[in-house]
Amino acid sequence: CGALMSLRIVPSPTFRARVAFTVPGEPDAAIEFSFRHKSPAALLAWHETFGAKSSAEALAEVIDKWLGGVIDEHGDEVPYTPENLALFLAAHAPRAEELLETYLREVYESRRKNSARRPVG
């Protein structure tokens, strides 16, 4: 029997997820991000604002930071800022969709896994 995992009554404010990106010639391109957790109600409200915002503006609301792996043309690490996120997404449009898909998958799969667990006792 494995050890039981404890679940926080209120989720951690952030969680990490590795986002795989489609980059020509680089089959294993990925960056780890720290994302902000949103409650189900906040997630729905956030989704409803998508039409009024750019991809970068919408994603900046759920991205806390990237954890390295983003570099400039000189090979220097680029820190996460909403402005740098906008540059990152402007240069490579499909990345916004890959970020959004990863965020939503992490949020919904973690909820599905947690709700599928059988009560102990």
Side-chain angles (χ1 to χ4, degrees):
C1 232
L4 294 177
M5 184 179 98
S6 297
L7 293 175
R8 294 173 56 130
I9 194 163
V10 175
S12 296
T14 61
F15 62 91
R16 290 179 169 201
R18 184 176 165 92
V19 180
F21 291 105
T22 304
V23 179
E26 297 184 35
D28 298 324
I31 299 170
E32 189 170 4
F33 282 79
S34 174
F35 289 104
R36 292 182 190 93
H37 176 81
K38 285 191 173 287
S39 69
L43 191 62
L44 181 61
W46 173 66
H47 187 264
E48 289 174 353
T49 68
F50 278 16
K53 298 178 182 175
S54 70
S55 296
E57 290 170 324
L59 287 166
E61 292 184 29
V62 295
I63 295 173
D64 180 47
K65 60 186 170 184
W66 52 53
L67 302 166
V70 179
I71 58 173
D72 65 16
E73 63 278 6
H74 306 292
D76 297 325
E77 288 279 332
V78 175
Y80 175 81
T81 64
E83 296 79 18
N84 284 341
L85 175 64
L87 289 172
F88 179 79
L89 296 177
H92 308 279
R95 292 184 182 166
E97 186 175 325
E98 292 164 330
L99 275 162
L100 179 61
E101 286 174 359
T102 299
Y103 177 78
L104 294 175
R105 182 179 62 245
E106 290 291 323
V107 169
Y108 287 118
E109 284 184 6
S110 68
R111 288 188 183 145
R112 191 174 314 122
K113 287 177 191 174
N114 290 337
S115 67
R117 294 186 182 168
R118 304 178 86 188
V120 176

